[in-house]
Amino acid sequence: MMRFLLLFSRQGKLRLQKWFTPLAERDKKKIIRDMTMMVLPRAPRSCNFLHWRDLKIVYKRYASLYFCCGLDDKDNELLALEVLHRYVELLDKYFGNVCELDIIFNFEKAYFILDEFLMGGEVQETSKLLVAKSMEESDMLQETMEEYMNKPAF
Amino acid sequence: MSDVVEKTLIALPSLLSLDSQLGAGKLSSTSKLGNLIRSITELTSKHEEEKLIKKELTALKEQVSSPNTTSRQMKEIMVRAIYCEMLGYEASFSYIHAIKLAQQGNGLEKRVGYLAVCLFLNESHDLLLLLVNTVLKDLQSTNLIDVCMALTVVSQIFPKDMIPAVLPLVEDKLTHSKEIIRRKAVLALYKFYLIAPNQVQHIHDKFRKALCDKDPGVMTASLHIYFQMIKENPDGFRELTASLVAILKQVVGGKLPVEFNYHSVPAPWLQIKLLRMLALLGKEDQSTSEMMFEVLDESLRRAELNHNITYAILFECVKTIYTIHPKSELLEKAAKCIGRFVLSPKINLKYLGLKALTYVVQQDPNLALQHQMTIIECLDHPDPIIKRETLELLYRITNGQNVSVIVQKMLDFLQQSKHGHTTIVLVGKVAELAEKYPFTHIAVVSVPIRLCTYAPDNGWFIQTMNTVFSLGGDDMQPEVPNNFLRLLAEGFDSAEEDRQLRLYAVDSYLSLLQTDTCHLPQRFLQVMSWVLGEFSFLKADLEPGLVLSRLASLLDQDLVTTETKSWVLAAMCKLCGGVVGEGVAGQVAAQFGGSLNTTLRQQAQELHVLSLDQALRSRVLPPHTSWDGLEVDSSLSFLDGFVSDALAQGAAPYKPPHQRQEELSQEKVLNLEPYGLALPVSLSTCSLMDRQSPTGFSLSSGLSGNSAELPHKGGSLKMDGVKRVWGKEGYLPQKEAAEEAPAMPSPPVPLTYRVAAARTRRWTPWPAPRPLGPDQEKQQLASSLFVGLGPQNQLCLLGKPDVAPQRFRRKTRPQDPEGGSDWLSVSSHSSHSTMDSLLDSSPTPLGEELNTTALLGEELNTAGFLREEPNAISPLGEGLNTADPMGEDPNTTRSLRETANGTTHLGEGLNAAGPLGEEPNPVSPQGKEPNTASPMGEEPNTASSQGPEDTLAFWSRAEGETEAPEASTMATDQPPTQADRLTPPPCATAELLEPHGSELLSLASDGSVDLSARKLYKGAALELQLYIRNTSSDQLQHVSLQLRSAELQVLDSPNQSFPLLGDHGAVTSRHSVVMETPLVQAIVGGAVTYHTQSGSANELGFSLRLTLADFLRPLPLSTEDYGKLWLSFNHDVKQNLQLLLDKEDPLSATLNILKEKLQFHLVEIIGTEGILACQLLPGHPCLLHCHAHSGTLTVWLRSPVPDLPDCLLYHCQRVLQER
């Protein structure tokens, strides 16, 4: 089960945080700090897996953004790496060639996509199409027609 | 979907008229959030950012409180508030508005409101209660998206006590027509299951329906719940194996719709989940494992694509194959797979390859040999993560011969790494290894290889520990210094060696104290002062005052803590004799005489007095006393008088810490202790358990919110009552017999020399040391690292009998019944490993002898033995299987056992093994059958007393016995009709007429004893009557019965014995049981042991499941008393239950069922409301208040005991559902 997912920039600025188990605010801050300190200095093309206390950390850098998640000890690291990748694919599909700015300015959308993809720390929907569809359905209700037309086609 | 379209049409006009909004893509940069973000990025200093955000927050605060703010604007405000919080600034004023937005907004606004709530509030926040109504409303909404949002938020932040409010609605969603809703509902229930398993227990059959759902997504979601349940109780779900295998087969075969593919691999998430479940189910269960062999083979075959996701599946496959009952073909394929990982140029795969190797190396040490060069390369890998994983692997293959090299590597790594947690773990491991092999062996010395020449002597242990103490600092586990001191104090077998070791320690500490000590950790200083105090007398030529003055100088340093000073003073007390002592003591006493710390002041005073009075000192601290003679009165009986005096004067009686803790938690104080320690699989050795990091914070703590259910805190396993079937030695068919078997004989000395001689000879073809290329250096490193891994040493690799020519064996300590050599055994969790059981059951010296001989015979091969041709050794490895054929020949086994110390019979054993030893097939099919091999090896006595034919009979009996407990639990679950058919024991018939008793339950039986039980519901306790009936025609002697339970309290003596039980006779034993802490159900276990006339001892285990309902009794109360009590109880739950369909009076019909089945006392029925009361033995009251309306019964339960309402509610639900 995934314990948390963090997105942060190369400068260590937090872009998105998702906690799948309840934690005190202080512990969250500590984890965020430790993660950026552990992950940012790592050389490119080094191993994507780390240890932190009794958790496995899996991270991956996409352009200027680091995706970093904490796993239970018995979980499969490679699979988690693919979870991150699938999330990026979903963002890409929604925003169309996603970049860090999209996530900064529309972070709530990134959260919604994540909620459709993961639930309770487990992968909920593995089909790209279905996630996109449920995002679309909820978007359709609220957005102006103009915005809707501007959105990249699915 | 017409619903959605309709909503869209309604929503559109209002949306179009509003101002520009956030949306997808680049449009948003013109929004207010965009402005905020942009102005923040333009700032240069943190201070400016702070100012800007402060301003922003003030503006936001104004806007939210203005009545004119529309919910659309509110949404925008919320997004900005979330952004500010993400930057680390508090926006608590917006929390309540987030809840309001979730409640009042539509669509996206609502969604943002929920998102803000999830991000702002944590589970214990008070405002969360305000959300319940909104969520309830949304769950009932006809808008699918609202329902989805509600389910998401429920699974995200709902705490345990709020679950009952939404549970029925979420449950309903399991039958929703849309699969997305069903899926989310299942996942929400999964989350509930993690938080409060009790509350969802009643919906297990619905989970099963979800498992059979026609939508693969829903089915996948339900697997998460089943995975948890299987993890907790694999035995309960073995019947699922066939279905899971079938599902996996279909998935692997590509039967799922294409949309479930991920990079053209069919549903990898599903595959991996299934593989993990199969691993849990097949572990230690041969027949279950056999069902999955085929599909595992298929999965391995199908996963060919060169993509990460394929490797993820392969990795899981390999792990499963090595976890379940072994099958040689699959193991071979899995080993090949591991090779692909290890040799991969991709660093992630290499890492996983190392992990897999670490996982399997105990079962298959040859695998490590095959990849030794890769492992060596990884040891020098630039990435510390890879290095660390390699060290982990090396740690697993450490033996007496390579320990010095491996420890050196670990210390090198420690010197570079500065990660707190890593350091603590690694330091613990180094200490463990050093303590395990304090005197590493001598054989390496004869190897003419430069790298091996630092073969250690006595000093190695001390030096290593010195490094450990200085690197480990003060964060390391306290066990490390404790164990070290105890080891030093208790000593080993040879007094002379002990003396030298201690002397070495004294020398090294004295020289260390001479240097600058301020950088040394406190723990290290404490160890030093203790050792100096205890053992400095060993150094004959020591100047009397030297030690004292060194120690005294520690007292002057500011950085030295009070605790350390106290250690130093204690050491000085032991040394303060003579004129010099008096002087120093006087100074110290003057220095600390005025200290504010009373302990130090007292100790300084003692030091002063002791230094003056030589006679007193030798009486209080007799010099040079042996550690063994020390007696500790652990019961503190000398304080009895003091305690009784204090009690007589009205002092409160002592409460042990756990009781105090419990009372604290009853006062609703938050419990911050972790309930279980999440530990890597690989570290599950018991000794490591204790070495877990001392930091209290663990992520796993939050998940299990139920303290009373887990009375054993701190992650210790509850082992009492559990029959040990698998142990370090492999399969233990009969624990007793294994214990009776003689302890492993220590290796005879001549043999050791022969091994050493053989090894020396092996190396003689090598030329004298010459300049080495880098490759050769690596090879030499390899040979020094993997030196113990050859076949002649596989025995010691596996941890148990340490054959390495270790000169000294630890004295057996009383708390270490297994003998000294394996007290820190490396082998642990792979208890079912074939190799393990085979090896451990084979008499050690024999294996050694065989290999030696074989080695001598194949001398030509030997030079290349460790380097180029790892395969060359595999035929030799088959020498291991000797135990197997010999197990079939009881006579040989016996002779080997009896003559293990001599060598005369070994030749015979060699002959028996000869043909197998040359068998070229590396994995003999017989070798994969631990069950046939191990019972023989474990039980030489039984086996040898019987002929070959009897062996079969014995084997089947052993099998029957291990299954007995299972059979008994099944028997208790049987419907009463079946129990009726059992003939009651003759003496019990009269008692069966007594009222308020259960049916007779058959618990267990074997060839000669039949055990059944009956529950008598007495007023003060549940009485268990156990009938032991002799079904054989022989007399049974020394029949004794032990009853134990981890969760329940057996009031009167849990053990009873009967000297004699005549043929077909029966005896009854009565036990009173109460339930102190409420549990839904609990198990009483136990065993009957008896001796047959032929003298053999037998044991029949049994277990009996008792439910909470067995311990419930009516609580007669008047309505007034009820009212008073109701207000004073603080733990409650509330839930809706189904009302019975009774035309006349559904309420009283329902309540009568409760009264009848759960022993409630019906206090009063007032209109549509009813009040009932009951008590849980011993004397925990619980009150029930219910209200009937439109087919449902709303039930409140209240009690002063936490969890009692929860558990009772569960039973109420069950009782009503059964109707």
Side-chain angles (χ1 to χ4, degrees):
Chain A
M1 182 183 152
M2 197 182 277
R3 299 298 188 87
F4 59 81
L5 173 71
L6 301 176
L7 266 63
F8 46 83
S9 71
R10 226 163 24 160
Q11 291 78 32
K13 282 242 189 268
L14 190 65
R15 297 299 180 208
L16 185 143
Q17 51 176 334
K18 187 85 185 171
W19 307 92
F20 296 106
T21 45
L23 283 176
E25 214 48 49
R26 200 165 44 96
D27 296 330
K28 288 182 185 174
K29 289 233 163 73
K30 165 109 179 98
I31 290 178
I32 295 170
R33 203 172 51 239
D34 283 3
M35 287 309 117
T36 47
M37 271 167 46
M38 267 167 70
V39 169
L40 291 177
R42 292 192 49 87
R45 265 187 293 286
S46 47
C47 189
N48 291 92
F49 314 132
L50 297 166
H51 293 264
W52 183 84
R53 301 214 175 151
D54 53 357
L55 295 186
K56 285 174 175 171
I57 307 299
V58 174
Y59 75 92
K60 178 137 196 194
R61 182 177 161 178
Y62 288 91
S64 57
L65 208 55
Y66 283 89
F67 289 66
C68 170
C69 63
L71 304 179
D72 274 341
D73 183 67
K74 305 225 169 137
D75 285 346
N76 190 320
E77 295 98 332
L78 275 181
L79 194 67
L81 210 52
E82 295 310 301
V83 169
L84 297 183
H85 187 72
R86 173 44 62 102
Y87 182 45
V88 174
E89 284 179 352
L90 290 171
L91 290 172
D92 209 43
K93 194 166 174 64
Y94 182 79
F95 289 107
N97 202 5
V98 67
C99 67
E100 193 187 340
L101 282 181
D102 290 322
I103 295 172
I104 298 174
F105 286 108
N106 296 293
F107 62 86
E108 81 278 15
K109 291 281 163 60
Y111 275 112
F112 298 154
I113 295 173
L114 188 61
D115 280 343
E116 292 304 318
F117 176 47
L118 298 176
M119 194 165 161
E122 302 281 359
V123 171
Q124 179 199 167
E125 179 58 77
T126 56
S127 156
K128 229 191 312 193
L129 276 176
L130 288 182
V131 175
K133 204 172 126 214
S134 62
M135 279 306 291
E136 185 183 5
E137 274 168 13
S138 49
D139 274 358
M140 257 172 53
L141 290 178
Q142 297 81 33
E143 295 192 354
T144 61
M145 278 317 271
E146 187 190 9
E147 280 177 335
Y148 184 58
M149 300 309 283
N150 274 335
K151 209 160 57 181
F154 284 97
Chain B
M1 207 40 54
S2 62
D3 196 23
V4 175
V5 176
E6 198 181 321
K7 284 251 169 192
T8 316
L9 292 175
I10 297 167
L12 275 178
S14 62
L15 297 175
L16 286 167
S17 61
L18 281 162
D19 53 12
S20 92
Q21 280 309 307
L22 285 182
K26 281 70 192 167
L27 270 177
S28 52
S29 49
T30 56
S31 68
K32 285 179 186 163
L33 175 73
N35 287 333
L36 173 66
I37 294 171
R38 229 166 308 113
S39 41
I40 286 175
T41 44
E42 277 160 16
L43 297 176
T44 47
S45 74
K46 184 84 191 160
H47 180 68
E48 282 177 275
E49 179 188 298
E50 222 165 89
K51 247 171 50 188
L52 185 82
I53 300 278
K54 282 249 169 72
K55 217 174 86 193
E56 178 76 18
L57 285 175
T58 329
L60 286 180
K61 202 171 185 173
E62 244 167 59
Q63 283 174 22
V64 288
S65 45
S66 137
N68 298 327
T69 314
T70 63
S71 58
R72 176 147 281 249
Q73 286 163 329
M74 193 60 101
K75 184 199 89 180
E76 206 272 323
I77 291 169
M78 278 307 139
V79 172
R80 276 192 282 162
I82 295 175
Y83 192 83
C84 292
E85 284 246 329
M86 189 153 66
L87 289 177
Y89 301 90
E90 198 187 287
S92 51
F93 61 86
S94 57
Y95 296 174
I96 185 74
H97 297 281
I99 292 177
K100 250 166 75 184
L101 186 63
Q103 191 179 356
Q104 295 162 352
N106 282 319
L108 192 57
E109 294 147 22
K110 188 187 259 314
R111 192 155 198 172
V112 169
Y114 274 137
L115 175 68
V117 170
C118 289
L119 289 170
F120 289 156
L121 306 182
N122 61 17
E123 292 210 319
S124 51
H125 206 286
D126 293 335
L127 285 178
L128 217 49
L129 276 173
L130 298 177
L131 199 68
V132 176
N133 251 330
T134 316
V135 168
L136 282 177
K137 204 182 80 198
D138 284 338
L139 279 176
Q140 287 162 314
S141 158
T142 50
N143 184 340
L144 290 184
I145 289 156
D146 286 353
V147 180
C148 283
M149 282 191 272
L151 285 172
T152 307
V153 82
V154 153
S155 78
Q156 173 82 25
I157 49 167
F158 262 45
K160 190 181 157 204
D161 49 338
M162 277 163 61
I163 291 174
V166 291
L167 190 58
L169 283 173
V170 176
E171 232 182 294
D172 283 347
K173 298 289 175 259
L174 288 177
T175 50
H176 201 276
S177 59
K178 274 272 170 254
E179 61 275 353
I180 186 170
I181 305 281
R182 291 204 300 275
R183 200 175 55 219
K184 281 181 197 262
V186 170
L187 281 169
L189 288 173
Y190 162 65
K191 192 71 196 296
F192 293 169
Y193 182 82
L194 291 178
I195 302 171
N198 268 350
Q199 299 190 4
V200 290
Q201 236 158 5
H202 62 285
I203 26 184
H204 279 194
D205 49 331
K206 290 190 182 163
F207 291 154
R208 185 142 311 213
K209 221 183 248 165
L211 184 65
C212 307
D213 199 286
K214 60 181 188 298
D215 180 65
V218 182
M219 186 267 293
T220 313
S222 75
L223 289 184
H224 298 310
I225 301 179
Y226 276 101
F227 179 74
Q228 277 304 323
M229 294 198 286
I230 291 173
K231 207 158 89 180
E232 282 151 28
N233 172 23
D235 289 326
F237 294 90
R238 295 235 197 264
E239 82 276 2
L240 268 185
T241 315
S243 335
L244 297 179
V245 167
I247 296 174
L248 184 55
K249 242 179 219 159
Q250 291 177 35
V251 176
V252 174
K255 299 280 192 313
L256 282 188
V258 194
E259 66 201 37
F260 286 92
N261 282 9
Y262 176 81
H263 292 262
S264 58
V265 175
W269 279 273
L270 178 55
Q271 281 196 46
I272 283 172
K273 198 92 215 174
L274 286 168
L275 285 170
R276 291 181 68 187
M277 291 167 93
L278 290 184
L280 290 174
L281 288 170
K283 194 175 182 185
E284 293 167 12
D285 188 320
Q286 186 175 355
S287 56
T288 314
S289 299
E290 274 162 3
M291 295 163 77
M292 49 187 90
F293 287 154
E294 195 193 327
V295 74
L296 288 174
D297 194 40
E298 177 86 5
S299 302
L300 276 183
R301 212 161 43 75
R302 291 263 185 172
E304 289 158 337
L305 214 74
N306 192 15
H307 188 275
N308 262 348
I309 199 75
T310 338
Y311 283 110
I313 295 172
L314 279 182
F315 183 71
E316 214 56 55
C317 255
V318 168
K319 259 170 81 177
T320 305
I321 287 171
Y322 272 94
T323 313
I324 62 171
H325 188 88
K327 186 184 185 206
S328 52
E329 263 171 66
L330 281 178
L331 287 177
E332 239 173 90
K333 287 184 184 168
K336 248 183 234 156
C337 238
I338 295 181
R340 272 171 74 189
F341 276 97
V342 174
L343 298 174
S344 165
K346 286 186 187 164
I347 190 164
N348 287 343
L349 298 185
K350 207 179 258 307
Y351 171 89
L352 287 179
L354 288 171
K355 266 210 126 101
L357 268 185
T358 312
Y359 189 71
V360 306
V361 74
Q362 273 152 21
Q363 296 174 53
D364 197 357
N366 282 331
L367 218 50
L369 274 177
Q370 278 172 30
H371 298 296
Q372 47 177 315
M373 287 324 284
T374 321
I375 296 173
I376 297 297
E377 274 160 26
C378 291
L379 208 48
D380 288 328
H381 202 280
D383 193 337
I385 302 300
I386 299 280
K387 250 191 208 173
R388 202 196 120 157
E389 216 47 50
T390 317
L391 289 176
E392 181 74 42
L393 172 62
L394 290 179
Y395 165 75
R396 297 307 179 82
I397 59 167
T398 309
N399 55 32
Q401 287 152 302
N402 58 17
V403 61
S404 58
V405 189
I406 289 178
V407 163
Q408 191 52 47
K409 288 280 163 197
M410 287 173 138
L411 291 179
D412 289 349
F413 179 81
L414 273 175
Q415 239 126 21
Q416 294 159 13
S417 115
K418 284 281 164 281
H419 268 294
H421 193 252
T422 316
T423 308
I424 293 169
V425 171
L426 210 54
V427 155
K429 282 183 179 160
V430 175
E432 192 187 318
L433 290 179
E435 282 164 13
K436 191 174 172 195
Y437 307 98
F439 309 97
T440 40
H441 74 104
I442 39 174
V444 177
V445 184
S446 61
V447 179
I449 282 187
R450 201 178 46 186
L451 278 167
C452 295
T453 47
Y454 51 75
D457 50 30
N458 294 349
W460 176 82
F461 178 49
I462 301 292
Q463 280 165 3
T464 307
M465 290 310 288
N466 284 356
T467 324
V468 164
F469 287 130
S470 15
L471 288 176
D474 288 321
D475 293 331
M476 75 171 123
Q477 300 99 322
E479 285 87 351
V480 176
N482 289 350
N483 285 345
F484 172 70
L485 291 184
R486 191 158 67 187
L487 207 65
L488 213 56
E490 284 176 354
F492 302 87
D493 280 350
S494 150
E496 175 54 24
E497 289 302 330
D498 289 346
R499 204 186 67 82
Q500 284 189 8
L501 193 67
R502 290 165 185 163
L503 195 56
Y504 193 95
V506 170
D507 275 339
S508 97
Y509 294 159
L510 275 179
S511 58
L512 264 174
L513 284 184
Q514 209 169 5
T515 59
D516 187 16
T517 52
C518 56
H519 62 280
L520 292 176
Q522 299 302 312
R523 286 266 172 77
F524 194 17
L525 292 176
Q526 291 163 12
V527 166
M528 281 191 209
S529 44
W530 189 86
V531 170
L532 287 177
E534 204 74 10
F535 297 120
S536 60
F537 72 89
L538 288 171
K539 202 169 158 64
D541 53 343
L542 196 63
E543 202 182 307
L546 183 69
V547 184
L548 273 181
S549 61
R550 295 264 157 88
L551 287 174
S553 69
L554 283 180
L555 293 174
D556 297 333
Q557 289 177 17
D558 294 336
L559 290 173
V560 174
T561 61
T562 318
E563 192 194 350
T564 311
K565 283 181 181 161
S566 171
W567 282 74
V568 171
L569 284 171
M572 288 173 80
C573 285
K574 296 174 194 157
L575 300 170
C576 60
V579 188
V580 193
E582 257 176 60
V584 177
Q587 277 172 21
V588 171
Q591 186 186 347
F592 288 95
S595 167
L596 285 177
N597 186 311
T598 48
T599 316
L600 288 186
R601 205 194 308 188
Q602 181 190 343
Q603 275 187 314
Q605 195 56 39
E606 280 170 12
L607 173 64
H608 187 56
V609 173
L610 287 174
S611 73
L612 294 175
D613 191 342
Q614 201 62 36
L616 178 67
R617 192 167 72 90
S618 56
R619 205 153 56 86
V620 179
L621 297 164
H624 316 178
T625 37
S626 124
W627 173 269
D628 296 331
L630 207 63
E631 265 183 41
V632 176
D633 183 1
S634 59
S635 66
L636 303 178
S637 57
F638 57 91
L639 285 175
D640 284 352
F642 174 76
V643 172
S644 57
D645 284 352
L647 284 176
Q649 285 168 14
Y654 173 72
K655 283 176 192 159
H658 62 89
Q659 201 180 338
R660 271 177 276 167
Q661 188 68 35
E662 226 158 71
E663 280 171 18
L664 271 179
S665 68
Q666 280 177 10
E667 288 165 30
K668 284 212 157 181
V669 171
L670 280 181
N671 184 2
L672 298 171
E673 271 183 77
Y675 293 107
L677 298 165
L679 252 190
V681 197
S682 43
L683 306 187
S684 52
T685 328
C686 290
S687 54
L688 281 179
M689 270 303 201
D690 301 331
R691 285 162 186 264
Q692 189 53 8
S693 130
T695 46
F697 162 58
S698 162
L699 282 169
S700 51
S701 64
L703 270 185
S704 39
N706 212 336
S707 64
E709 276 173 24
L710 298 157
H712 289 247
K713 286 169 192 158
S716 66
L717 282 171
K718 286 185 269 178
M719 294 300 282
D720 27 338
V722 180
K723 193 169 166 162
R724 264 186 76 199
V725 183
W726 292 91
K728 270 185 217 159
E729 303 90 333
Y731 183 62
L732 311 169
Q734 268 193 328
K735 201 178 165 192
E736 273 181 317
E739 277 164 7
E740 276 165 24
M744 284 288 176
S746 56
V749 180
L751 194 61
T752 319
Y753 283 138
R754 283 165 71 178
V755 177
R759 202 175 291 114
T760 322
R761 223 175 136 185
R762 195 149 52 77
W763 286 109
T764 31
W766 272 72
R770 58 196 148 98
L772 298 164
D775 274 359
Q776 279 166 316
E777 259 180 45
K778 273 186 184 166
Q779 284 184 353
Q780 291 192 347
L781 179 58
S783 53
S784 55
L785 277 175
F786 296 93
V787 64
L789 283 178
Q792 79 276 33
N793 277 318
Q794 284 191 343
L795 294 160
C796 61
L797 166 77
L798 292 167
K800 190 55 176 71
D802 208 342
V803 239
Q806 194 174 319
R807 278 176 296 164
F808 315 97
R809 291 171 58 85
R810 283 173 52 79
K811 280 180 199 161
T812 312
R813 283 187 291 157
Q815 67 266 41
D816 192 3
E818 303 243 2
S821 60
D822 68 332
W823 68 296
L824 279 174
S825 164
V826 185
S827 91
S828 58
H829 75 109
S830 53
S831 51
H832 70 301
S833 131
T834 324
M835 292 295 203
D836 263 6
S837 52
L838 272 176
L839 292 174
D840 289 335
S841 57
S842 78
T844 324
L846 172 69
E848 192 78 321
E849 173 81 344
L850 277 175
N851 295 321
T852 319
T853 328
L855 270 176
L856 290 171
E858 296 194 21
E859 214 174 291
L860 283 178
N861 260 337
T862 49
F865 148 67
L866 277 173
R867 298 163 299 109
E868 297 102 343
E869 279 188 274
N871 286 330
I873 55 163
S874 51
L876 296 181
E878 291 316 306
L880 303 171
N881 286 329
T882 45
D884 197 351
M886 286 189 296
E888 280 161 31
D889 180 357
N891 291 325
T892 325
T893 316
R894 186 185 50 187
S895 67
L896 288 173
R897 280 286 173 177
E898 286 170 0
T899 58
N901 275 321
T903 42
T904 38
H905 287 247
L906 287 173
E908 195 185 318
L910 187 62
N911 292 338
L916 247 177
E918 275 142 38
E919 196 177 306
N921 180 4
V923 192
S924 132
Q926 280 166 322
K928 295 300 155 200
E929 301 282 339
N931 286 344
T932 43
S934 48
M936 294 301 160
E938 299 285 342
E939 286 184 290
N941 297 335
T942 335
S944 56
S945 63
Q946 292 164 335
E949 306 93 310
D950 293 1
T951 316
L952 262 181
F954 152 74
W955 172 217
S956 62
R957 197 187 65 223
E959 211 170 31
E961 284 197 6
T962 43
E963 279 167 12
E966 266 178 59
S968 69
T969 38
M970 279 169 55
T972 47
D973 292 340
Q974 277 168 358
T977 44
Q978 239 171 326
D980 277 350
R981 274 192 272 122
L982 295 161
T983 38
C987 73
T989 24
E991 285 161 329
L992 285 179
L993 302 171
E994 209 176 297
H996 295 306
S998 74
E999 306 285 351
L1000 194 68
L1001 308 160
S1002 173
L1003 289 183
S1005 68
D1006 60 4
S1008 38
V1009 164
D1010 180 81
L1011 187 69
S1012 44
R1014 192 160 166 259
K1015 299 182 244 183
L1016 276 184
Y1017 304 116
K1018 297 214 164 174
L1022 177 73
E1023 184 173 302
L1024 284 182
Q1025 292 187 341
L1026 294 161
Y1027 309 113
I1028 309 169
R1029 195 156 59 100
N1030 183 355
T1031 52
S1032 72
S1033 49
D1034 290 337
Q1035 277 193 345
L1036 301 179
Q1037 291 161 336
H1038 307 297
V1039 181
S1040 70
L1041 174 81
Q1042 293 100 37
L1043 205 61
R1044 47 184 179 259
S1045 172
E1047 299 137 331
L1048 299 170
Q1049 282 71 41
V1050 182
L1051 292 181
D1052 36 3
S1053 73
N1055 301 332
Q1056 293 213 6
S1057 50
F1058 312 94
L1060 204 65
L1061 185 57
D1063 54 317
H1064 298 290
V1067 285
T1068 312
S1069 146
R1070 296 153 187 271
H1071 305 270
S1072 298
V1073 184
V1074 293
M1075 186 182 261
E1076 284 282 359
T1077 36
L1079 291 167
V1080 168
Q1081 57 184 18
I1083 290 178
V1084 169
V1088 177
T1089 52
Y1090 59 92
H1091 293 258
T1092 57
Q1093 259 177 335
S1094 58
S1096 65
N1098 291 294
E1099 183 174 309
L1100 178 63
F1102 65 89
S1103 70
L1104 176 60
R1105 194 177 295 263
L1106 299 173
T1107 67
L1108 181 82
D1110 290 328
F1111 298 94
L1112 293 178
R1113 300 289 179 270
L1115 181 67
L1117 280 178
S1118 68
T1119 311
E1120 292 78 49
D1121 291 342
Y1122 183 99
K1124 277 178 212 153
L1125 282 178
W1126 180 262
L1127 294 175
S1128 63
F1129 293 170
N1130 49 358
H1131 295 275
D1132 68 346
V1133 288
K1134 180 181 171 186
Q1135 191 159 344
N1136 289 338
L1137 300 180
Q1138 201 74 39
L1139 207 53
L1140 286 187
L1141 298 169
D1142 185 300
K1143 286 188 188 95
E1144 304 268 309
D1145 187 355
L1147 177 62
S1148 57
T1150 312
L1151 295 187
N1152 276 331
I1153 293 294
L1154 292 179
K1155 189 179 159 189
E1156 199 177 295
K1157 296 275 177 185
L1158 296 175
Q1159 310 271 331
F1160 272 105
H1161 168 72
L1162 186 54
V1163 182
E1164 203 174 350
I1165 297 183
I1166 314 156
T1168 58
E1169 291 181 45
I1171 49 178
L1172 300 93
C1174 73
Q1175 57 172 324
L1176 173 71
L1177 294 175
H1180 299 314
C1182 188
L1183 305 180
L1184 184 150
H1185 174 200
C1186 57
H1187 178 216
H1189 54 93
S1190 62
T1192 56
L1193 183 70
T1194 310
V1195 173
W1196 289 269
L1197 283 163
R1198 271 198 179 187
S1199 166
V1201 185
D1203 293 324
L1204 180 54
D1206 265 348
C1207 299
L1208 192 54
L1209 183 65
Y1210 166 70
H1211 281 284
C1212 292
Q1213 279 173 339
R1214 261 190 57 173
V1215 164
L1216 293 181
Q1217 269 175 1
E1218 277 164 14
R1219 275 286 138 165

